[in-house]
Amino acid sequence: MKPRILTGDRPTGPLHIGHLVGSLRSRVRLQHEFDTYVLLADVQALTDHFEHPRRVRDNVMQVALDYLAVGLDPREATFVVQSGVPEIAELTVFYLNLVTVSHLRQNPTVKSEIAQKGFGESVPAGFFVYPVSQAADITAFGAQVVPVGEDQLPMIEQTAEIVRRFNRLYAPVLVEPRALVGEVARLPGLDGKAKMSKSLGNAIFLSDPADEVARKVRGMYTDPNHLRVEDPGRTEGNPVFAYLDAFDPDRARVAELRAHYERGGLGDVKVKRHLLDVLEATLGPIRERRAEFARHPDEVEAVVREGTRRGREVAAVTMRAVREAMSLDYFADAEINAGG
Ligand code: TRP
């Protein structure tokens, strides 16, 4: 049997090129060697979008299209809608006993999200505990490997802690996962901020039309002191060069451009034009495949429906073992205890 992968995304909007280099590419690469499950994490999306359920629902299909467009193959990877697997919610309730509020408060990713969303003291409890629900996502599928962006490392660490605690306390039934961070740990935003994100409005989406990508690249932040072409420019902290590093397969050419820019004599307009060509070489084919799949929404829906059904079967196996380990298997032979 192949080892298993579980990973996923919150369907709060379309996926961007940060997702592509952070985790989508490793998923595509690994889908043949691993039994791969990809979670459309609508329940997690609701933890900060519970007032907009319709938006989450619409984005489930958009993200499924992004998956297909980047080359996740439904014969290799199973697409699962999180809310279609109620076992995850059940596991979450049991795992909540194994973590403390003070430990949850220290999660650096949740901390910065709370600050970014301006929740202050009024953070919804569901949002606060989503790392526990993410542990349920991962363990429900018995995943050994979780391909994610760097910001997700605290979630995998939290999952590993819950697994160790559970296995020690009850019975060794859960699999301890490890994270696999993509080729590029973190892609900066168009504005040079540390992280590309939909909510910061500094992202290039996989679904952006070509003229939109061109407009975004033209408006990118560069070195603010690089005023004249002859001036030496800074490439460090310059997102144009970070993107070239991430997307230009011609390393020697990037090294040359970097040296030229630093020495002076290479203008922003020119580097950006090159960057646009490089990005389009990646995004063009993705855009075409996306448009092709978008013409067949029934097929996309069928892929997601069938994937969710298979995902639920896998989670049900874990659920039975967990119930037994926790002495909750009252009616072992009865349908009532079968975990769905
Ligand atoms: N928290 C992840 C994100 O914001 C999405 C996610 C949900 C996930 N469940 C997961 C990632 C399980 C990996 C494994 O991108």
Side-chain angles (χ1 to χ4, degrees):
M1 238 173 70
K2 292 184 193 173
R4 222 172 255 162
I5 275 179
L6 180 282
T7 177
D9 298 279
R10 291 182 202 167
T12 57
L15 301 182
H16 52 63
I17 60 173
H19 292 113
L20 186 64
V21 290
S23 81
L24 293 173
R25 275 182 176 169
S26 24
R27 300 178 196 178
V28 172
R29 186 164 40 83
L30 297 172
Q31 63 182 334
H32 313 287
E33 291 159 54
F34 286 80
D35 191 16
T36 300
Y37 293 83
V38 192
L39 203 62
L40 295 146
D42 59 342
V43 177
Q44 188 177 113
L46 286 168
T47 62
D48 68 332
H49 282 69
F50 53 87
E51 287 166 314
H52 309 287
R54 197 68 232 184
R55 195 190 304 168
V56 172
R57 185 191 173 125
D58 293 343
N59 277 307
V60 165
M61 284 304 150
Q62 291 306 313
V63 171
L65 276 175
D66 286 334
Y67 288 166
L68 292 166
V70 299
L72 281 174
D73 179 346
R75 286 165 304 188
E76 300 280 6
T78 307
F79 300 2
V80 182
V81 178
Q82 190 183 21
S83 62
V85 185
E87 286 79 4
I88 292 172
E90 189 177 353
L91 288 172
T92 303
V93 171
F94 298 148
Y95 294 172
L96 280 169
N97 298 326
L98 308 180
V99 296
T100 64
V101 170
S102 75
H103 191 81
L104 283 171
R105 222 180 251 130
Q106 289 159 22
N107 185 306
T109 300
V110 176
K111 246 191 196 165
S112 70
E113 283 175 307
I114 288 174
Q116 194 198 314
K117 293 172 203 297
F119 281 141
E121 281 301 298
S122 317
V123 50
F127 183 81
F128 185 63
V129 304
Y130 90 72
V132 180
S133 137
Q134 192 158 328
D137 296 342
I138 295 165
T139 54
F141 289 84
Q144 284 99 332
V145 177
V146 188
V148 281
E150 187 186 48
D151 63 319
Q152 295 298 303
L153 292 178
M155 311 306 163
I156 316 304
E157 192 40 51
Q158 175 71 82
T159 303
E161 282 169 30
I162 289 172
V163 167
R164 290 195 288 265
R165 189 113 204 262
F166 185 102
N167 287 349
R168 219 181 318 117
L169 213 50
Y170 303 122
V173 298
L174 299 180
V175 178
E176 187 174 326
R178 66 183 173 84
L180 185 84
V181 176
E183 322 128 50
V184 180
R186 189 187 293 255
L187 200 67
L190 294 164
D191 53 3
K193 290 223 178 83
K195 188 179 162 181
M196 177 170 284
S197 114
K198 179 180 60 78
S199 45
L200 295 173
N202 62 3
I204 294 177
F205 298 107
L206 299 175
S207 48
D208 277 343
D211 56 348
E212 181 76 6
V213 177
R215 194 185 60 74
K216 286 178 175 174
V217 169
R218 274 198 303 275
M220 272 178 83
Y221 174 89
T222 60
D223 173 5
N225 296 317
H226 186 232
L227 298 175
R228 288 168 311 169
V229 174
E230 317 83 74
D231 292 342
R234 276 175 63 88
T235 58
E236 204 182 303
N238 187 332
V240 171
F241 283 89
Y243 293 7
L244 284 176
D245 282 336
F247 290 98
D248 194 339
D250 189 341
R251 300 278 142 198
R253 180 171 56 189
V254 177
E256 212 173 281
L257 288 170
R258 174 175 269 112
H260 193 177
Y261 192 86
E262 287 173 354
R263 186 165 74 230
L266 179 58
D268 283 327
V269 173
K270 206 160 170 195
V271 214
K272 284 180 173 178
R273 217 176 277 143
H274 174 63
L275 173 61
L276 183 59
D277 289 343
V278 165
L279 285 178
E280 275 305 310
T282 294
L283 293 177
I286 291 177
R287 194 180 295 123
E288 268 169 42
R289 273 200 301 272
R290 200 178 195 284
E292 182 56 33
F293 284 114
R295 273 193 284 280
H296 307 284
D298 294 353
E299 283 172 35
V300 179
E301 206 188 296
V303 162
V304 173
R305 187 190 311 122
E306 171 57 18
T308 304
R309 192 191 60 72
R310 290 214 305 272
R312 193 163 185 207
E313 278 176 9
V314 173
V317 174
T318 304
M319 202 65 240
R320 264 192 291 276
V322 162
R323 281 180 158 260
E324 194 188 331
M326 295 184 72
S327 305
L328 297 166
D329 54 337
Y330 299 100
F331 317 107
D333 51 350
E335 189 59 15
I336 191 174
N337 198 41

